[in-house]
Amino acid sequence: MSSPTPSPTARMAQHAYAIAVCGFAALAAVMIIGGDFAVLRCLGIAPMEQPFADARTITGAGIAVERGLDPLINNPGDPWGRTLNYPRIWLLLAQAGLGPQHTKLLAATFTAFALAGLWSLRATARNRSTVFVLLLGICAPTMWLAIERGNSDLLLFGLCALAAAVPPWCAGVLVAIGAVLKLYPIAALAAVFDRVPRRALAVALPTVALFLSYLLVIAGDLPLMRAGTLSAPS
């Protein structure tokens, strides 16, 4: 069954939103490639001496792995000495050769997922009010702070936004991936229930069961992850 044709007003709103996302992508690309985020001071964001600080925690783990260290306990590859505060599945990147020299690439990848998520929300822009609210989110200092820091929450946002635009079973997979990477996206399953309650139940219950099993497996790392989260660069 084909989706209903958008009204002229909805089409105009979606076009306006698409243009805004493209402009956002262009600005983000210029800043990431150039590594210069000084303009963000006008939003109250103080760029750090080294950009992509949050991504450096992940890429720095490559040095710890090379030295036979546990980056959740000792992460000398991080410029500020912060330990890795992510589940160990992220260490697959370090084992694959990801290192500090790939920090900008990792930050750009996170931003690309966020852009994909923003683009997937285009269908919700059906009037000026909705477009205005969406644009507030794009222009929010928190979004630009995440880009300057190379924060992995950009990836998680992209996965959850994409989950809202796909069938329930596929949404469950995307949410599960997010939950494995950073735990909290499991809460996005509530949106799957809201969309198609009966069919979503068959997706959500196994996903929750697998997630609880995953928590049991990584239970010993949870205190280390919490300690790493509470640390901050000086």
Side-chain angles (χ1 to χ4, degrees), residues 155-168:
L155 165 63
L156 279 299
F157 165 78
L159 290 175
C160 291
L162 289 169
V166 297

Side-chain angles (χ1 to χ4, degrees), residues 62-79:
I63 292 178
V65 169
E66 285 180 358
R67 298 180 183 178
L69 302 173
D70 184 350
L72 274 75
I73 298 175
N74 185 6
N75 193 20
D78 179 78

Side-chain angles (χ1 to χ4, degrees), residues 2-13:
S2 59
S3 58
T5 303
S7 67
T9 300
R11 285 198 299 270
M12 289 182 61

Side-chain angles (χ1 to χ4, degrees), residues 28 31-32 35-41 45 47 51-52 144 147-148:
M31 293 183 194
I32 291 173
D36 185 359
F37 295 90
V39 69
L40 296 183
R41 294 185 186 278
I45 298 171
F52 317 123
W144 289 104
I147 292 173
E148 190 275 334

Side-chain angles (χ1 to χ4, degrees), residues 3 12 23 28-29 33 44 49 66 72 88 93 96 99 125 139 141 151 155 164 167 172 189-190 205 216:
S3 58
M12 289 182 61
I33 294 172
E49 183 179 349
E66 285 180 358
L72 274 75
R88 291 187 186 276
L93 295 176
C139 298
N151 194 281
L155 165 63
L189 280 179
L205 291 182
L216 289 175

Side-chain angles (χ1 to χ4, degrees), residues 19-228:
I19 292 172
V21 171
C22 290
F24 171 81
L27 286 173
V30 168
M31 293 183 194
I32 291 173
I33 294 172
D36 185 359
F37 295 90
V39 69
L40 296 183
R41 294 185 186 278
C42 67
L43 295 177
I45 298 171
M48 298 187 68
E49 183 179 349
Q50 297 187 56
F52 317 123
D54 294 339
R56 292 182 189 278
T57 305
I58 300 170
T59 57
I63 292 178
V65 169
E66 285 180 358
R67 298 180 183 178
L69 302 173
D70 184 350
L72 274 75
I73 298 175
N74 185 6
N75 193 20
D78 179 78
W80 298 275
R82 299 165 300 174
T83 56
L84 185 68
N85 60 332
Y86 295 93
R88 291 187 186 276
I89 193 168
W90 286 87
L91 294 182
L92 293 175
L93 295 176
Q95 294 165 3
L98 188 81
Q101 70 273 22
H102 302 115
T103 298
K104 182 180 290 189
L105 175 61
L106 184 64
T109 301
F110 289 161
T111 302
F113 270 93
L115 289 170
L118 289 171
W119 189 261
S120 72
L121 296 176
R122 192 174 74 263
T124 65
R126 296 184 174 275
N127 53 59
R128 286 180 294 181
S129 298
T130 305
V131 171
F132 178 72
V133 171
L134 290 171
L135 293 184
L136 282 179
I138 291 176
C139 298
T142 49
M143 177 67 81
W144 289 104
L145 175 64
I147 292 173
E148 190 275 334
R149 297 293 197 265
N151 194 281
S152 62
D153 286 338
L154 294 167
L155 165 63
L156 279 299
F157 165 78
L159 290 175
C160 291
L162 289 169
V166 297
W169 68 267
C170 190
V173 171
L174 291 174
V175 170
I177 292 173
V180 167
L181 292 175
K182 211 170 177 183
L183 306 185
Y184 72 82
I186 193 66
L189 280 179
V192 180
F193 274 108
D194 183 64
R195 288 167 55 197
V196 192
R198 289 186 179 180
R199 286 163 50 194
L201 189 64
V203 173
L205 291 182
T207 303
V208 170
L210 289 172
F211 176 71
L212 293 176
S213 300
Y214 178 64
L215 284 181
L216 289 175
V217 171
I218 67 170
D221 290 334
L222 295 179
L224 297 175
M225 292 162 55
R226 181 177 184 275

